[in-house]
Amino acid sequence: FVRRDIVVTAQASGAINPDTTVQVKSKASGEILDIKVQTGDVVKHGTLIVQVDQRIPANDVAQARAALQVDSAQFENAQSQFNREKELYAAKAVTQQELEQAQLAVSVANASMVRDAIALENAKIALGDTQVLAPITGTVISLAVQRGTVISSPNSSASGGTVILTMADLGLVQVKTWVDETD
């Protein structure tokens, strides 16, 4: 008397689908200059996969930096004027109103500096968005665009932006199939 395992097999057709699928879009709009991956490539999270044209965002950074420099100079000028007005007020050569106007000018110049610093930071973020990085570690399962394609951003497009490629984590998959109940 020998114990043995009985194995019953059944064949069925179906689909193997990844558990996690991600459609990759760019926050930046513009022409795609370079696609660094192909269908089937395994890509690590954070890897540069697509480069979008940087000219307009780079110009925005330069313009914001110049505006911040101007506002910084205006702030220093207003601060110097306020310090002179304080000395003149102490000597009773100017009125309280003139001193308050100088103080207001310092506050306005400071607010402009803060506004332009934020604009510069936002412009730098937009410039960084021209480099599309892999959102997950996974496999490129489809490319929807080619080099030279002009894409739209999901932030500025009512259509939700252009899908650049689709990635999937093939470490966990689902098998969907129909197996006959007699099997």
Side-chain angles (χ1 to χ4, degrees):
F1 176 70
V2 177
R3 278 191 105 130
R4 293 189 182 179
D5 293 333
I6 298 175
V7 177
V8 177
T9 59
Q11 290 185 350
S13 60
I16 298 174
N17 296 319
D19 187 55
T20 304
T21 303
V22 178
Q23 289 185 332
V24 180
K25 299 178 180 182
S26 171
K27 291 181 186 175
S29 295
E31 180 182 355
I32 293 180
L33 299 180
D34 193 15
I35 299 176
K36 308 252 182 218
V37 295
Q38 295 297 324
T39 303
D41 287 354
V42 177
V43 182
K44 293 201 181 297
H45 171 73
T47 303
L48 176 65
I49 54 177
V50 174
Q51 179 65 58
V52 179
D53 187 5
Q54 294 183 321
R55 290 177 296 176
I56 292 173
N59 291 343
D60 291 344
V61 168
Q63 187 175 12
R65 187 172 284 128
L68 181 59
Q69 287 175 341
V70 168
D71 283 343
S72 179
Q74 288 175 340
F75 174 76
E76 289 176 17
N77 188 13
Q79 188 68 45
S80 295
Q81 182 65 30
F82 175 67
N83 290 338
R84 281 193 295 279
E85 293 287 333
K86 276 198 313 192
E87 291 172 8
L88 292 171
Y89 180 74
K92 301 197 188 290
V94 296
T95 66
Q96 175 76 24
Q97 183 178 5
E98 290 171 313
L99 179 64
E100 289 169 356
Q101 283 298 106
Q103 188 172 13
L104 177 62
V106 169
S107 296
V108 168
N110 185 49
S112 292
M113 241 177 33
V114 169
R115 182 191 67 237
D116 286 344
I118 292 169
L120 176 58
E121 185 61 29
N122 289 341
K124 286 179 181 178
I125 291 168
L127 179 60
D129 288 342
T130 61
Q131 294 187 329
V132 182
L133 308 179
I136 62 170
T137 296
T139 305
V140 177
I141 58 173
S142 70
L143 281 172
V145 296
Q146 297 178 8
R147 186 174 181 264
T149 303
V150 176
I151 59 169
S152 63
S153 164
N155 299 341
S156 63
S157 172
S159 67
T162 306
V163 175
I164 298 172
L165 56 88
T166 304
M167 293 182 66
D169 179 2
L170 300 180
L172 183 61
V173 294
Q174 295 178 355
V175 177
K176 293 186 179 182
T177 186
W178 290 97
V179 178
D180 189 272
E181 67 182 66
T182 59
D183 290 336

